[in-house]
Amino acid sequence: MADTVNATGLRVQQWDSKFFEEYVRENRFAPYMGMDENAIIQMKEDLTKKKSDRISLALVNKLSNAATTGTETLEGSEEDLTSRSHLLTVDKRRNGIRVAEMSEQKSAIDLRNAGRAMLKNWAVSDTRTLIIKALNSFRSANTIYTWETGAQIQNDVGHTVLDAWQVDNTDRILFGAYGAHASDFSAGHTEIDNTSDKMTATLLTTAKIKAQTGSPNITPIRTKGDEEWFVAFLHPYQIRDLVLSDTVFQAAQREARERSKDNPLFRGADYVWDGIIIRSIPEIPLVAASSVTGGSAVQTACAHLCGAQALGYGLAKRWTSKTETFDYGDKVGVAIEQIYGIEKLCFGSG
């Protein structure tokens, strides 16, 4: 009696499915990804079923009419359910490895397994890079800009563009302990120093108040218990200042959290403050203030306080693998690819 053997094509599909599950699970931003509007990073897979290089993410405005009461007539006074959208562009992103026959005598399927860890780490890193670039991006005059260093801000973007963006987003920006200047990005950076502008619990609360009172306000994410949360992504240096220098934050973690080795002060895990979940992201780029203003050499980093639908993750094709032979069959390569894009969602003109 012959043994049943799984078809090669089926094994490949199973490998790809497992690869995608591991990739999502091990991504540092995975807890904040979701398919609905309550997620900080909203994922949309519409393009997996239709052809296009752009996907639309919608924001439905909340209702604001006063209630119709008593015997008043509701007909003719219904509220318009208005909505806005953001068009997110996707692109193919891929990488691969190649192994010579004498270096590793394995089949194409085994090669997938042999390179899974390396390919998965690259895929997770690629997604993390796109997420951080999206967090560090801004839109001005319907053009999306992003930066990695202060010099790039100054040389590639220009202060005129930054000032115009700041005019539209004064309710979204804090320069350390100071509020955003009305129209001067450089002036805001000039006021940053290495003493009074370090990350503190007070600064986090101030940012939360801005999120709650801005126009429009930033929607927090809601848990099953109807709790409301924001998430703050901070550079490790900002975490250091918060944990080691801010006595208010230290007292809260010491006196209000569990008194054991499980306290975040000892295990370096996530912190919580005033309805804000605090996460350390080492890959957030540092920017020298001197390269922006020509003045102080203080290093700065963008700390991002996020609510629901902060970023959009458009997915047209999940991570899949492909193999190919080269040099008369002496070398075998395996590649992974995904068609996707990640952007900061902008539901208005400003």
Side-chain angles (χ1 to χ4, degrees):
M1 179 180 293
D3 293 334
T4 300
V5 179
N6 288 333
T8 300
L10 178 60
R11 295 203 302 270
V12 173
Q13 292 175 9
Q14 291 172 340
W15 189 95
D16 288 345
S17 178
K18 184 176 181 180
F19 181 93
F20 185 80
E21 291 173 3
E22 292 176 347
Y23 149 79
V24 172
R25 185 172 63 248
E26 297 185 16
N27 192 311
R28 187 176 297 156
F29 292 96
Y32 312 108
M33 295 181 181
M35 303 301 292
D36 60 24
E37 292 80 2
N38 190 48
I40 286 179
I41 305 174
Q42 185 183 2
M43 302 180 70
K44 296 280 285 185
E45 290 191 281
D46 295 22
L47 294 184
T48 59
K49 302 176 182 178
K50 57 185 178 182
K51 300 295 183 181
S52 177
D53 66 343
R54 295 196 298 173
I55 188 170
S56 179
L57 290 92
L59 172 71
V60 179
N61 294 343
K62 63 182 181 180
L63 301 178
S64 58
N65 276 4
T68 299
T69 60
T71 59
E72 295 179 353
T73 302
L74 177 60
E75 184 177 352
S77 300
E78 298 89 349
E79 187 169 354
D80 181 20
L81 189 62
T82 58
S83 63
R84 293 174 286 176
S85 64
H86 176 102
L87 283 177
L88 189 154
T89 302
V90 300
D91 199 359
K92 178 184 285 189
R93 301 177 69 86
R94 55 183 178 162
N95 196 6
I97 57 176
R98 185 187 298 193
V99 179
E101 183 179 14
M102 293 304 296
S103 300
E104 189 161 354
Q105 299 181 37
K106 291 188 177 183
S107 68
I109 299 298
D110 290 333
L111 179 58
R112 285 188 174 93
N113 290 327
R116 176 188 291 168
M118 292 181 290
L119 293 172
K120 182 179 59 185
N121 289 342
W122 177 85
V124 170
S125 177
D126 186 63
T127 301
R128 182 180 63 238
T129 297
L130 290 185
I131 290 174
I132 293 174
K133 282 188 175 182
L135 288 171
N136 278 346
S137 69
F138 64 95
R139 181 185 295 265
S140 182
N142 293 321
T143 301
I144 298 176
Y145 299 90
T146 187
W147 61 76
E148 298 298 336
T149 66
Q152 186 175 350
I153 298 175
Q154 186 177 32
N155 299 329
D156 297 348
V157 177
H159 289 220
T160 300
V161 172
L162 288 166
D163 291 346
W165 166 73
Q166 187 161 308
V167 168
D168 287 334
N169 293 277
T170 53
D171 59 343
R172 297 287 192 263
I173 306 169
L174 282 171
F175 288 101
Y178 297 91
H181 287 259
S183 60
D184 196 330
F185 185 87
S186 297
H189 264 273
T190 301
E191 292 183 346
I192 296 176
D193 62 48
N194 203 26
T195 303
S196 59
D197 294 313
K198 293 181 177 181
M199 181 59 65
T200 63
T202 300
L203 184 54
L204 286 171
T205 296
T206 302
K208 177 183 175 181
I209 293 172
K210 268 186 171 285
Q212 293 174 319
T213 59
S215 180
N217 61 351
I218 296 177
T219 304
I221 56 175
R222 290 178 171 82
T223 63
K224 293 182 179 179
D226 205 29
E227 295 179 336
E228 295 186 346
W229 294 91
F230 293 94
V231 177
F233 299 113
L234 273 57
H235 188 278
Y237 288 167
Q238 295 168 326
I239 296 287
R240 176 201 62 190
D241 293 337
L242 181 65
V243 172
L244 299 182
S245 302
D246 186 13
T247 56
V248 173
F249 186 81
Q250 289 175 339
Q253 301 301 314
R254 181 177 62 247
E255 298 168 10
R257 297 291 298 261
E258 59 272 23
R259 299 192 178 190
S260 69
K261 61 181 177 60
D262 293 327
N263 189 297
L265 282 175
F266 299 105
R267 56 189 172 90
D270 296 345
Y271 297 93
V272 174
W273 169 262
D274 193 17
I276 304 170
I277 299 170
I278 303 167
R279 292 299 305 268
S280 175
I281 307 295
E283 293 79 12
I284 290 177
L286 290 170
V287 176
S290 60
S291 61
V292 179
T293 64
S296 171
V298 173
Q299 283 189 318
T300 64
C302 290
H304 304 282
L305 183 78
C306 300
Q309 290 186 293
L311 300 181
Y313 184 133
L315 188 58
K317 179 183 179 181
R318 290 187 173 191
W319 288 111
T320 57
S321 62
K322 295 181 179 180
T323 61
E324 189 170 341
T325 58
F326 309 89
D327 194 14
Y328 298 95
D330 180 67
K331 298 176 178 64
V332 179
V334 59
I336 57 168
E337 62 184 32
Q338 180 168 260
I339 302 177
Y340 74 121
I342 300 173
E343 295 178 7
K344 181 181 290 184
L345 296 185
C346 180
F347 293 111
S349 59

